[in-house]
């Protein structure tokens, strides 16, 4: 790499699409810089995955106690203020921890908003920073409804910072964030109304399993309003009125706009340097290279068919490390990428989806897991999965709804990715009793 630039590789953004690969890249002797306008580590560690799963932990505990009612005496309740304080204690040190790893690796972190001046130069607060290669890893941000009073609504980051949980909450949207936060807030005692854009919740997942989750939440008091065309928010004293379809309205204490997430591609100078982008993000080739030769992109900002999830960003960042350090000249080859929604029960999936299995020559195995002795240990009442096999009995897809769904799918990933046949599966001896043993026993 040339010495005419400040850095060999410069990253715009410091999330998982950056630091997981930037650290070993710098340790390999490449001069690396990172530009970050917000918190080190990006969305996931600071106000995304880590915060959410910490807030969710008491929900899974109360659900387990509920299923074992009579064996476990007394009713558990969630103290929201203490839950939020615990979340802060868990995640507050993450930016410094990640920043410390960057510093120990010799990476310069440049704080400020970066805008491209040319394909080798980014201006940060009036100062030019140059690099041979630049990686755009600016991620996603919450979409905001373009309606009157939109400033009265809040985003996911605000929800996870609430010191006191409002009593009546309206959630706009019916995707991951909507359903996960509806689950958490409902379990903590809030009155939740979900105003859906269409007539289906969690379109990415198997509809019958989604229906099980929705029915359970409805029985717990969550209200779902389909095809709610939200038109305005208006302040009414200490409350907010949500106007929606056909002149209807809802008065609540707090509004969460969970209408989606959009890529951070505007106002960073992409037009100036000619990098192509669209409403889904930045298209790249099989080397994560944009249409401008020395400009790459990774993480959620990509326009890609793979799920926009933290593990995908980590894989992309690590791939770029291998490419930039000379360890590979091959195009990126994505493994099977699982996805999960952290409702209670969870829904998780990987590989060939149920709906797609109908288009191919597959063997499909459906199982009511509530009849399995292991699931009866803690009285799981919603537990089903669908396993999809090719004609050689290689597992190619799994979808599950249960309290253990994410663990089941993680357990089965090697079978899908490495095409384990019956002989290899038969070589595995598992710890017993365990969810892993119960899961592999289905194959």
């Amino acid at each position: 790499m040339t010495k005419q630039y400040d850095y060999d590789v410069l990253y715009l953004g410091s999330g998982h699409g950056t630091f997981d690969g930037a650290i070993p890249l710098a340790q390999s002797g490449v001069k690396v810089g990172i530009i970050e306008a917000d918190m080190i580590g990006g969305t996931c560690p600071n106000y995304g995955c880590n915060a959410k799963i910490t807030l969710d932990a008491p929900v899974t505990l109360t659900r387990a106690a509920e299923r074992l009612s009579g064996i476990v005496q007394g009713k558990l309740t969630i103290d929201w203020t203490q839950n939020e304080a615990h979340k802060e204690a868990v995640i507050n040190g993450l930016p410094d921890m990640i920043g410390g790893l960057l510093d120990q690796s010799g990476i310069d972190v440049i704080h400020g908003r970066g805008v491209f001046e040319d394909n080798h130069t980014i201006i940060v607060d009036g100062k030019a920073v140059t690099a041979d290669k630049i990686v755009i890893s600016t991620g996603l941000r919450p979409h905001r409804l373009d309606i009157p009073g939109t400033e009265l609504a809040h985003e996911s980051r605000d929800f996870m910072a609430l010191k006191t949980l409002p009593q009546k909450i309206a959630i706009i949207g019916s995707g991951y964030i909507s359903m996960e936060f509806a689950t958490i807030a409902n379990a903590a005692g809030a009155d939740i109304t979900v105003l859906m854009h269409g007539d289906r919740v969690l379109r990415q997942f198997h509809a019958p399993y989604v229906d099980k989750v929705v029915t359970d939440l409805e029985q717990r008091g969550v209200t779902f309003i389909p095809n709610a065309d939200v038109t305005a928010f208006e302040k009414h004293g200490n409350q907010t009125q949500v106007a929606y379809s056909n002149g209807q309205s809802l008065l609540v204490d707090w509004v969460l706009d969970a209408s989606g997430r959009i890529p951070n591609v505007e106002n960073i100078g992409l037009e100036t340097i000619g990098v192509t982008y669209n409403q889904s993000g930045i298209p790249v080739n099989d080397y994560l290279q944009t249409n401008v030769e020395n400009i790459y992109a990774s993480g959620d900002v990509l326009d890609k068919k793979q799920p926009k999830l933290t593990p995908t960003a980590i894989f992309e960042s690590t791939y770029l490390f291998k490419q930039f350090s000379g360890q590979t000249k091959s195009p990126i080859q994505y493994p099977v990428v699982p996805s999960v929604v952290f409702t209670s029960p969870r829904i998780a999936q990987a590989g060939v989806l149920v709906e797609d299995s109908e288009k191919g020559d597959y063997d499909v195995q459906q199982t009511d897991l509530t009849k399995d002795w292991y699931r009866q240990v803690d009285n799981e009442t919603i537990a089903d999965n669908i396993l999809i096999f090719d004609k050689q009995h290689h597992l190619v897809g799994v979808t599950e709804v249960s309290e253990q769904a994410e663990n089941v799918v993680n357990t089965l990933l090697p079978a899908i990715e490495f095409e384990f046949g019956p002989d290899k599966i038969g070589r595995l001896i598992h710890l017993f009793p365990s969810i892993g043993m119960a899961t592999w026993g289905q194959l």
Side-chain angles (χ1 to χ4, degrees), residues 70-396:
I71 301 171
V72 174
Q73 300 294 326
K75 178 177 173 57
L76 298 182
T77 59
I78 297 173
D79 184 318
W80 179 265
T81 300
Q82 291 299 319
N83 194 22
E84 200 280 335
H86 174 60
K87 181 267 298 181
E88 288 295 305
V90 169
I91 70 169
N92 272 353
L94 293 178
D96 287 343
M97 183 271 288
I98 297 168
L101 293 174
L102 298 176
D103 183 62
Q104 292 169 22
S105 301
I107 296 173
D108 293 336
V109 177
I110 304 156
H111 293 277
R113 180 171 177 78
V115 179
F116 280 96
E117 182 178 65
D118 59 49
N119 63 314
H120 288 286
T121 307
I122 296 180
I123 305 298
V124 185
D125 296 335
K127 179 182 177 181
V129 184
T130 63
D132 182 22
K133 293 181 174 66
I134 298 177
V135 181
I136 303 167
S137 184
T138 48
L140 301 171
R141 70 179 185 278
H143 172 269
R144 298 304 295 265
L145 292 173
D146 185 14
I147 59 175
T150 188
E151 72 280 356
L152 299 174
H154 304 269
E155 60 185 56
S156 55
R157 187 172 180 174
D158 302 322
F159 175 84
M160 289 185 285
L162 285 169
K163 303 300 182 185
T164 303
L165 188 66
Q167 182 56 41
K168 296 188 68 173
I169 299 175
I171 301 179
I172 317 302
S174 52
Y176 285 82
I177 293 173
S178 169
M179 292 296 287
E180 291 173 344
F181 287 3
T183 299
I184 293 169
N186 166 261
D191 179 0
I192 306 297
T193 300
V194 177
L195 295 105
M196 303 159 54
H197 177 68
D199 60 358
R200 294 295 309 171
V201 171
L202 296 171
R203 292 179 179 274
Q204 307 94 322
F205 293 92
H206 185 46
Y209 288 0
V210 172
D211 290 342
K212 289 176 181 286
V213 171
V214 170
T215 298
D216 181 68
L217 284 173
E218 287 178 330
Q219 292 172 348
R220 297 176 184 278
V222 176
T223 299
F224 290 86
I225 302 176
N227 301 305
D229 181 19
V230 176
T231 56
F233 304 123
E234 185 176 319
K235 193 72 174 171
H236 279 240
N238 293 326
Q239 293 184 299
T240 301
Q241 180 175 280
V242 181
Y244 62 99
S245 311
N246 303 318
Q248 300 178 82
S249 64
L250 175 70
L251 197 62
V252 297
D253 301 314
W254 205 82
V255 177
L256 171 64
D257 184 346
S259 57
R261 292 177 65 78
I262 55 178
N264 288 312
V265 291
E266 305 92 345
N267 305 315
I268 58 174
L270 297 186
E271 300 88 350
T272 301
I273 62 172
V275 167
T276 299
Y277 67 90
N278 56 53
Q279 63 181 4
S280 298
I282 300 174
V284 293
N285 63 16
D286 289 340
Y287 299 85
L288 301 188
Q289 191 175 35
T290 71
N291 61 303
V292 177
E293 185 178 11
N294 73 303
I295 307 294
Y296 297 75
S298 68
D300 289 353
V301 76
L302 293 183
D303 175 10
K304 59 187 175 184
K305 62 181 180 180
Q306 289 77 20
K308 295 190 176 188
L309 302 169
T310 292
T312 323
I314 293 171
F315 188 84
E316 290 158 351
S317 179
T318 303
Y319 165 77
L320 286 178
F321 146 61
K322 293 176 181 177
Q323 184 188 151
F324 295 159
S325 62
Q327 296 182 38
T328 184
K329 294 182 179 179
S330 300
I332 191 169
Q333 291 184 306
Y334 287 96
V336 57
V337 180
S339 56
V340 59
V341 56
F342 285 99
T343 47
S344 187
R346 281 80 156 97
I347 308 175
Q349 61 191 20
V352 175
L353 303 182
V354 177
E355 289 70 22
D356 293 336
S357 70
E358 301 168 358
K359 307 169 189 174
D361 191 13
Y362 299 107
D363 294 325
V364 179
Q365 172 183 308
Q366 302 190 46
T367 305
D368 176 0
L369 296 168
T370 62
K371 300 181 185 306
D372 181 83
W373 80 269
Y374 190 82
R375 305 304 182 109
Q376 293 173 9
V377 169
D378 71 345
N379 290 341
E380 279 200 70
T381 57
I382 302 175
D384 296 87
N385 74 10
I386 298 174
L387 303 181
I388 302 167
F389 299 89
D390 64 17
K391 291 304 179 181
Q392 290 73 46
H393 202 72
H394 298 123
L395 183 69
V396 294

Side-chain angles (χ1 to χ4, degrees), residues 427-440:
R427 291 286 304 163
L428 298 173
I429 297 178
H430 305 275
L431 293 173
F432 179 84
S434 66
I435 189 62
M437 178 70 171
T439 298
W440 282 92

